Amino acid sequence: MAANAKEKAIRDFIHNLESGEVDGALSFFADDCEWITNEGTFRGKGEIESYLKWMKNVLANVRFYDDGVGILVEGDSAIYQHVYEGSYEGRTIHVRSVCTYKFSGDKCVYHISLSDRLAIAHQASGTLPGLAVNTIIRQVEKGLHK
């Protein structure tokens, strides 16, 4: 698969995530794919399908925007630096994220998604959870901000 075809496959995958098309997003993956996320490791299409359905239910109106290097493809690997935003429990969140992909033929066989969970919690938390998260953030950043 050529570099431009891998980039198109990633953009199609992202489009399916934005559209809530679980089957379309799932078609990006090989049957034995492994997807490592902040929420856990999902192996095989069955587990990945469950994760995609969970994502669709938890994050509404999700949109992805290229950030930094955008999509870079080298051989059978690619990286995607982006920002995603969406509505989580009625609050809009903006999250910087980096994803890596390993392809075999035209399917993704290995995918890692990395984002800052504390930043997500800071934006998405309700009153009591927000207080806890903000307390942790203040403690970790103690002396940093004047």
Side-chain angles (χ1 to χ4, degrees):
M1 179 189 251
N4 59 346
K6 288 182 183 81
E7 180 174 344
K8 182 181 181 325
I10 293 168
R11 293 206 184 276
D12 289 347
F13 169 62
I14 296 304
H15 173 75
N16 283 312
L17 291 177
E18 291 177 333
S19 301
E21 297 293 329
V22 171
D23 289 339
L26 194 59
S27 71
F28 175 71
F29 296 100
D31 291 339
D32 60 348
C33 184
E34 181 176 40
W35 186 356
I36 299 171
T37 73
N38 290 330
E39 294 78 30
T41 299
F42 304 92
R43 292 179 179 90
K45 280 193 169 182
E47 289 184 10
I48 291 172
E49 180 179 22
S50 294
Y51 180 63
L52 289 167
K53 287 178 179 177
W54 174 83
M55 282 176 50
K56 179 181 175 181
N57 289 328
V58 170
L59 190 61
N61 305 313
V62 67
R63 293 289 174 257
F64 292 79
Y65 305 96
D66 288 5
D67 189 35
V69 299
I71 297 176
L72 295 176
V73 178
E74 178 70 33
D76 287 333
S77 298
I79 186 168
Y80 180 33
Q81 185 177 355
H82 58 279
V83 173
Y84 69 88
E85 66 181 26
S87 178
Y88 176 82
E89 295 185 354
R91 290 187 165 93
T92 300
I93 61 170
H94 303 270
V95 181
R96 285 197 155 75
S97 185
V98 176
C99 293
T100 63
Y101 307 88
K102 179 75 173 170
F103 289 88
S104 179
D106 64 347
K107 298 293 181 182
C108 179
V109 295
Y110 187 70
H111 178 25
I112 299 176
S113 302
L114 302 171
S115 55
D116 182 351
R117 289 184 82 176
L118 192 55
I120 296 168
H122 178 66
Q123 295 175 66
S125 295
T127 308
L128 185 56
L131 178 62
V133 167
N134 289 329
T135 299
I136 293 167
I137 290 172
R138 278 193 304 277
Q139 182 62 36
V140 169
E141 295 178 353
K142 190 174 183 176
L144 176 63
H145 305 286
K146 306 283 183 212

